[in-house]
Amino acid sequence: MGIEEYGGGQQTQSDVLVVTTNDVPGFHVKQVVGEVFGLTVRSRHLGSQIGAGLKSMIGGELRGLTKTLVQTRNQAMERLVEQARARGANAVLMFRFDVTEAADVGTEVCAYGTAVVLEPAG
């Protein structure tokens, strides 16, 4: 599996900066837009469930599930960025993921943070 299949995060050309920190060096918060989130729920593919069950008996990484979770997190993050952009923000501070099981049918992934308008300090 290549890095593009199990890596994630923001695209470098995005007009909305997403960071896990409370501030961004060299910038100050001009306006707090408010909480934003991106949510997605994914069901597990039957083939990957069977493979994961077999793999769990002998140990090792569950690559199919890893790939699915990366895709799910990336989709949640894209939705968060879309919401921030639509509300006039150019950054999201204190970005986090929350992952839970959704009624035994899949995995719910929520990306959330605080949408703000940043401007250069000075």
Side-chain angles (χ1 to χ4, degrees), residues 3-5 7-19 70-71 73-75 77-82 85 90 95:
I3 188 71
E4 66 281 350
E5 293 181 295
Q10 188 172 29
Q11 302 299 318
T12 57
Q13 295 85 6
S14 180
D15 59 330
V16 177
L17 177 66
V18 179
V19 296
V70 167
Q71 291 169 345
R73 284 181 176 219
N74 287 341
Q75 183 178 48
M77 187 173 183
E78 288 168 11
R79 290 178 178 174
L80 166 115
V81 168
E82 288 172 12
R85 183 182 299 118
N90 66 358
F95 169 74

Side-chain angles (χ1 to χ4, degrees), residues 82-100:
E82 288 172 12
Q83 188 181 80
R85 183 182 299 118
R87 294 179 60 193
N90 66 358
V92 176
L93 304 179
M94 300 178 292
F95 169 74
R96 303 288 188 268
F97 281 114
D98 185 43
V99 180
T100 58

Side-chain angles (χ1 to χ4, degrees), residues 22-112:
N22 295 336
D23 54 22
V24 177
F27 291 85
H28 75 272
V29 175
K30 178 180 177 183
Q31 176 187 357
V32 174
V33 175
E35 180 188 14
V36 289
F37 66 90
L39 181 68
T40 186
V41 178
R42 292 272 179 105
S43 63
R44 292 189 194 100
H45 181 271
L46 181 59
S48 66
Q49 282 184 309
I50 292 170
L54 294 172
K55 188 72 164 186
S56 68
M57 292 170 28
I58 59 172
E61 181 181 10
L62 306 175
R63 291 180 184 235
L65 292 178
T66 299
K67 186 176 177 180
T68 298
L69 186 54
V70 167
Q71 291 169 345
T72 303
R73 284 181 176 219
N74 287 341
Q75 183 178 48
M77 187 173 183
E78 288 168 11
R79 290 178 178 174
L80 166 115
V81 168
E82 288 172 12
Q83 188 181 80
R85 183 182 299 118
R87 294 179 60 193
N90 66 358
V92 176
L93 304 179
M94 300 178 292
F95 169 74
R96 303 288 188 268
F97 281 114
D98 185 43
V99 180
T100 58
E101 290 297 313
D104 293 331
V105 296
T107 303
E108 172 192 335
V109 175
C110 182
Y112 64 95

